[in-house]
Amino acid sequence: MRPDRPHIQVLSPRTWGEFGNYLAATRFSRVLRGAVDAEVTLLEAEPILPWLGEAGAEIRTISLESPDATVRTRRYMALMARLQERFPSGFETDPTAAQITELAPLTEHLRSTAPDVVVGTKGFVARLCVAAVRLAGLRTRVVSHVTNPGLLQLPLHRSPHPDLTLVGFDWAKDHLLAQTGGDPDRVRVVGPLVAQHDLRDFMTSESAAPAAGPWGGDADSGRPRLIVFCNRGGDVYLELVHHIAAHHPDTDLVFVGYDDPDLARRAAAGAQRLTHWRFHSRLTQAEYFDYIDRASRSPYGLLVSKAGPNTTLEAAYFGIPVLMLESGLPMERWVPGLIHENRLGRACAAPDDLFHTVDDWLTHPSAIEEHKKAAIGFAESVLDQKAVARRIGDAVRPLLGAR
């Protein structure tokens, strides 16, 4: 690290939202390195504050073990309420003795490293950083990078106190200001940031067993090409794969049970005869690029997953429409509106609707093609990543000039 250059630290929880939040932080850090003249360091938050990892483990349990969306929502909101009770609105400026104790490792970390800017990629982490910076007696500027604007529905993740808050959409800024009464000049709309091919760092592994030959053969088959991505999705996606195997075997399908080899084996168990299908818990880099490329080039490429914002935007960036099942998590409730208003595909409220739509679209694949056209148009008009990077640099640079 050059001593004459300012230093930015990006703190991101890795256990909150599986890899999604850390993936967004990885992409954001890379954009910052190209947008501002500063050393940028990405750090996991859990080694500094282990209790964040305990909360992340509880979120994972809630996602995996809740029997339905209603129970999942109730359990998740109960956890958020407990954390909000421990760190109520305004604690950043006047922490109690108990809060000071809980923040002590973060306070000491910032005091010893003294970054010019610290970025929290969860609103809650940014709030913790505001308090820790004050306790450490630093002039470090705090940025809240909102990776999922749905989190602003929760008091835990919103605050008027960071020096800068970056959001992807105008409505997110309006909601934040309406709820916190903050300074509009400290909230900047930069547009949605997508990971593009940064996802390969999370999805691929050198130890992954390569598939036998190209997906669907050397030439494009003209058949629908489905990527079924199961990230804490539950058995409904296994049932869906077995349903497609029984009713639509003339389809190119790849199933990714992320980091869950047993899930991938269970999915493959119902489709042994379909030798052109692929099942993975990890991909090789060649497979990752091949699957994305072939689904993107196919008029009938389709991503099936839970209705997460990052997954939806990633697919749209590559011109791949989505068929999704609502997760029941409150911070993802806005995603069906994003999908339907922009005709990016469909978000289903219940498994029966998901199965019915799969049957309809695979029987009449022209419906997929129409959504593909809309996804391409959305990507061209909304997901201009050079423009997003420029806006991020323009927003952060003044904080470095004030060091």
Side-chain angles (χ1 to χ4, degrees):
M1 181 184 299
R2 280 175 30 200
D4 59 319
R5 298 183 79 200
H7 179 209
I8 300 174
Q9 284 187 11
V10 181
L11 295 185
S12 173
R14 189 156 194 153
T15 58
W16 288 42
E18 207 67 25
F19 65 74
N21 189 76
Y22 200 74
L23 169 62
T26 298
R27 178 60 179 157
F28 179 76
S29 299
R30 287 177 175 168
V31 166
L32 268 185
R33 292 187 186 106
V36 299
D37 183 18
E39 301 285 347
V40 179
T41 304
L42 171 60
L43 298 172
E44 295 181 28
E46 287 87 348
I48 301 171
L49 291 175
W51 55 264
L52 282 175
E54 296 170 7
E58 186 171 348
I59 292 172
R60 178 180 175 84
T61 299
I62 290 169
S63 297
L64 288 174
E65 298 183 3
S66 297
D68 54 50
T70 300
V71 173
R72 188 176 297 116
T73 296
R74 186 177 70 246
R75 291 174 176 174
Y76 183 85
M77 293 301 289
L79 171 60
M80 295 298 104
R82 292 199 304 273
L83 289 171
Q84 179 66 18
E85 186 176 1
R86 283 167 60 185
F87 297 95
S89 299
F91 94 94
E92 301 97 313
T93 60
D94 189 20
T96 65
Q99 291 161 353
I100 291 172
T101 298
E102 290 200 82
L103 286 170
L106 178 59
T107 303
E108 180 53 35
H109 165 80
L110 292 175
R111 182 183 290 120
S112 62
T113 57
D116 296 279
V117 173
V118 60
V119 182
T121 62
K122 286 283 189 188
F124 182 42
V125 174
R127 293 177 65 211
L128 298 175
C129 287
V130 170
V133 163
R134 296 188 182 205
L135 291 169
L138 299 172
R139 299 180 64 185
T140 297
R141 301 301 184 92
V142 179
V143 176
S144 177
H145 173 45
V146 180
T147 59
N148 174 4
L151 290 169
L152 296 177
Q153 302 294 324
L154 305 174
L156 186 72
H157 291 293
R158 58 183 187 237
S159 170
H161 298 296
D163 298 282
L164 176 66
T165 298
L166 303 177
V167 298
F169 301 93
D170 289 318
W171 64 262
K173 176 178 180 176
D174 294 341
H175 178 77
L176 178 61
L177 294 175
Q179 295 296 320
T180 65
D183 182 353
D185 291 337
R186 294 165 71 172
V187 182
R188 298 285 292 273
V189 180
V190 295
L193 192 64
V194 298
Q196 300 170 289
H197 281 304
D198 288 332
L199 183 59
R200 69 182 183 272
D201 296 337
F202 296 80
M203 292 293 297
T204 66
S205 170
E206 293 181 0
S207 63
W215 181 34
D218 291 314
D220 286 334
S221 63
R223 299 188 295 261
R225 295 202 154 177
L226 274 64
I227 299 175
V228 180
F229 178 53
C230 189
N231 171 24
R232 300 188 302 180
D235 284 354
V236 64
Y237 296 98
L238 298 182
E239 297 167 8
L240 180 69
V241 168
H242 296 160
H243 176 85
I244 296 172
H247 298 281
H248 309 279
D250 191 22
T251 296
D252 290 335
L253 184 144
V254 56
F255 177 90
V256 181
Y258 175 72
D259 260 359
D260 193 337
D262 181 63
L263 184 67
R265 283 193 295 269
R266 290 166 61 202
Q272 298 96 327
R273 62 189 174 85
L274 301 175
T275 57
H276 58 296
W277 284 21
R278 302 283 184 262
F279 298 88
H280 303 274
S281 58
R282 282 275 177 169
L283 311 173
T284 65
Q285 285 207 12
E287 289 164 348
Y288 168 79
F289 286 115
D290 181 60
Y291 292 147
I292 292 293
D293 179 62
R294 288 175 181 257
S296 177
R297 287 191 288 110
S298 169
Y300 312 128
L302 182 66
L303 174 69
V304 182
S305 180
K306 76 177 181 70
N310 292 329
T311 307
T312 300
L313 294 172
E314 299 297 329
Y317 180 82
F318 290 108
I320 303 172
V322 296
L323 177 57
M324 295 190 155
L325 182 64
E326 294 181 25
S327 68
L329 295 173
M331 67 284 198
E332 295 177 346
R333 286 176 182 160
W334 68 281
V335 179
L338 172 74
I339 293 171
H340 297 152
E341 289 165 14
N342 296 284
R343 302 183 63 251
L344 304 178
R346 180 163 181 170
C348 302
D352 286 349
D353 189 18
L354 181 70
F355 280 59
H356 174 77
T357 305
V358 160
D359 285 335
D360 184 34
W361 287 8
L362 294 184
T363 304
H364 306 97
S366 59
I368 301 174
E369 191 172 18
E370 288 302 310
H371 290 297
K372 179 180 181 63
K373 294 176 183 176
I376 292 172
F378 177 82
E380 291 175 348
S381 61
V382 178
L383 302 180
D384 181 344
Q385 295 301 281
K386 289 183 179 179
V388 174
R390 183 177 64 252
R391 295 184 200 114
I392 289 173
D394 291 344
V396 173
R397 205 171 293 111
L399 301 183
L400 301 175
R403 58 195 294 242

